[in-house]
């Protein structure tokens, strides 16, 4: 390789990682407004006049719009350039945040969360996953998605604590809450503007499978149909579905430790931070490394992790929790959570292993998101009802047994995915 080729390769690598860094910034900031309750639940009640039911209804509205909207995203995500889709959605979320800072009436609050779902989940998220997939080589898919998850955790933490610092500096008042919301809004708008100038254009396909020139609308529609017909995409989607069913169960580790181990309030915050942010930052790179370097296949790694998760949770179920120390309980649940976070970090990476054509990457990610995140519409209700019907340790054991069941389901689905990939690789090698 001569000096000019080396310089070109180095410049491409630098541009690629700079673009990735901008994508991570967007991914770590765009959902702060829709997750406003995480940092400002009590202030929202005090200064925006919202009760528990109203906040819950806003989140439910968000989820319903997300689920329906992702159906349309199968078409939209490959119709327009990712440069426009990503920057437009980021700026759109920021503008909605400015509206929220005015403390609108409840109807306006609900409408704002509906629009946040359109910008964040329908327009932005599948296109972000598409952009991340296209920025890495076939051998880097596990690591790139792992770094995305870790980067999101870092940015998420910094931005959230910065907003809390602003709120605290302004006396934890109504003006402080407005300032925190405006801070979230300003950050996401700035990242949106930067994204417009740094994220490269897509080459929108304008020919059909016969090579005949057609319009962009027709090409996007054909791509959507092709994605829906590609059964391998659905196998990946249901693999993600299984991981997410288990992931939803992690929410109940905090009440489990509180009810069964009598975890003191001082430890609740520390455990929550480690569980929500620490595991995301560590699990992402670890999962990506293991998938790319050890199993050399994300699908194989997820299959192996399902086995480990099922065994680990089975052991947890039969342990004598009443006589164990709180720190042992914390270590066990955090260890299990780490396994799930390594899977969650890379569960979209198999889209590359099944050789999804680049021109329908957006549609594939939309299908994966639609099916994969669907457990959020029922899993929390399922687990919660178990705890209500059987309070205490028996209820938690029912939740954990269900998580084992979903892990076993995921093992069979991911095993089928591995076979599908192997057949595809054998066919392509002929």
């Amino acid at each position: 390789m001569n000096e000019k080729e080396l310089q070109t390769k180095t410049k491409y690598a630098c541009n690629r990682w700079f673009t990735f860094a901008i994508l991570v910034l967007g991914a770590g900031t765009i959902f702060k407004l829709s997750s406003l309750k995480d940092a400002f639940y009590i202030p929202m009640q005090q200064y925006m006049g919202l009760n528990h039911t109203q906040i819950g209804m806003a989140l439910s509205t968000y989820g319903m719009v997300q689920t329906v909207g992702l159906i349309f995203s199968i078409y939209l995500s490959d119709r327009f350039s990712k440069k426009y889709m990503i920057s437009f959605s980021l700026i759109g979320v920021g503008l909605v945040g400015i509206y929220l800072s005015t403390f609108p009436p409840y109807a306006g609050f609900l409408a704002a969360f509906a629009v946040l779902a359109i910008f964040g989940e329908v327009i932005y998220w599948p296109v972000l996953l598409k952009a991340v997939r296209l920025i890495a080589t076939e051998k880097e898919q596990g690591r790139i998605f792992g770094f995305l998850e870790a980067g999101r955790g870092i940015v998420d933490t910094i931005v959230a604590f910065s907003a809390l610092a602003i709120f605290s500096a302004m006396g934890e008042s109504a003006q402080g809450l407005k300032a925190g919301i405006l801070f979230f809004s300003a950050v996401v708008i700035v990242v949106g503007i930067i994204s417009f100038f740094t994220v490269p254009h897509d080459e929108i396909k304008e020919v059909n499978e016969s090579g005949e020139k057609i319009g962009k609308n027709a090409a996007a529609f054909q791509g959507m149909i092709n994605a829906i017909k590609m059964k391998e995409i659905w196998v990946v989607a249901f693999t993600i579905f299984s991981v997410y069913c288990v992931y939803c169960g992690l929410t109940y580790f905090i009440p489990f430790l509180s009810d069964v181990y009598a975890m003191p309030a001082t430890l609740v915050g520390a455990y929550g931070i480690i569980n929500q942010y620490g595991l995301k930052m560590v699990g992402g790179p670890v999962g990506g490394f293991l998938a790319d370097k050890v199993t050399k296949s994300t699908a194989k790694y997820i299959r192996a992790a399902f086995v480990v998760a099922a065994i680990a949770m089975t052991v947890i179920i039969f342990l004598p929790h009443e006589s164990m120390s709180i720190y042992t309980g914390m270590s066990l649940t955090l260890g299990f959570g780490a396994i799930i976070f390594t899977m969650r970090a890379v569960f979209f990476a198999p889209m590359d292993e099944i050789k999804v054509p680049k021109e329908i990457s957006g549609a594939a990610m939309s299908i994966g998101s639609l099916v994969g995140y669907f457990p959020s519409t029922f899993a929390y209700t399922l687990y919660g009802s178990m705890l209500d019907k059987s309070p205490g340790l028996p209820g938690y054991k029912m939740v954990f047994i269900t998580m084992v069941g979903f892990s076993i389901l995921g093992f069979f689905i991911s095993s089928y995915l591995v076979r599908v990939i192997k057949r595809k690789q054998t066919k392509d090698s002929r």
Side-chain angles (χ1 to χ4, degrees), residues 143-186:
R143 277 168 290 172
I144 202 73
F145 279 99
F147 288 143
L148 171 67
E149 193 71 3
R152 285 180 66 201
I154 294 170
V155 174
D156 202 0
T157 304
I158 294 172
V159 173
F161 278 113
S162 297
L164 281 172
I166 293 171
F167 175 67
S168 178
M170 298 187 69
E172 299 185 0
S173 61
Q175 292 304 313
L177 177 58
K178 287 186 178 183
I181 295 173
L182 286 172
F183 172 74
F184 285 150
S185 304

Side-chain angles (χ1 to χ4, degrees), residues 318-338:
F318 287 102
L319 287 173
H321 297 284
E322 297 91 338
S323 60
M324 293 167 58
S325 74
I326 179 63
Y327 295 104
T328 302
M330 290 175 64
S331 299
L332 289 170
T333 53
L334 287 173
F336 181 83

Side-chain angles (χ1 to χ4, degrees), residues 53-178:
T53 302
Q54 289 174 323
I55 293 175
M57 183 59 70
L59 297 175
S60 295
T61 299
Y62 184 94
M64 287 186 287
V65 172
Q66 172 189 1
T67 301
V68 175
L70 281 169
I71 298 173
F72 296 95
S73 180
I74 299 173
Y75 167 80
L76 291 173
S77 53
D78 289 317
R79 170 60 183 82
F80 303 99
S81 172
K82 62 179 181 285
K83 170 192 279 288
Y84 298 135
M85 297 280 274
I86 288 175
S87 56
F88 170 71
S89 53
L90 287 164
I91 294 171
V93 164
L95 294 177
V96 175
I98 293 174
Y99 173 69
L100 283 174
S101 72
T102 66
F103 295 178
Y106 183 57
F109 183 75
L110 284 179
F113 267 73
V115 177
L116 285 174
I118 292 172
F119 282 130
E121 304 289 352
V122 178
I123 299 176
Y124 178 82
W125 186 245
V127 178
L128 169 77
L129 296 174
K130 167 187 175 179
V132 171
R133 182 209 169 192
L134 296 179
I135 211 169
T137 65
E138 182 179 345
K139 295 181 179 180
E140 297 172 330
Q141 291 294 309
R143 277 168 290 172
I144 202 73
F145 279 99
F147 288 143
L148 171 67
E149 193 71 3
R152 285 180 66 201
I154 294 170
V155 174
D156 202 0
T157 304
I158 294 172
V159 173
F161 278 113
S162 297
L164 281 172
I166 293 171
F167 175 67
S168 178
M170 298 187 69
E172 299 185 0
S173 61
Q175 292 304 313
L177 177 58
K178 287 186 178 183

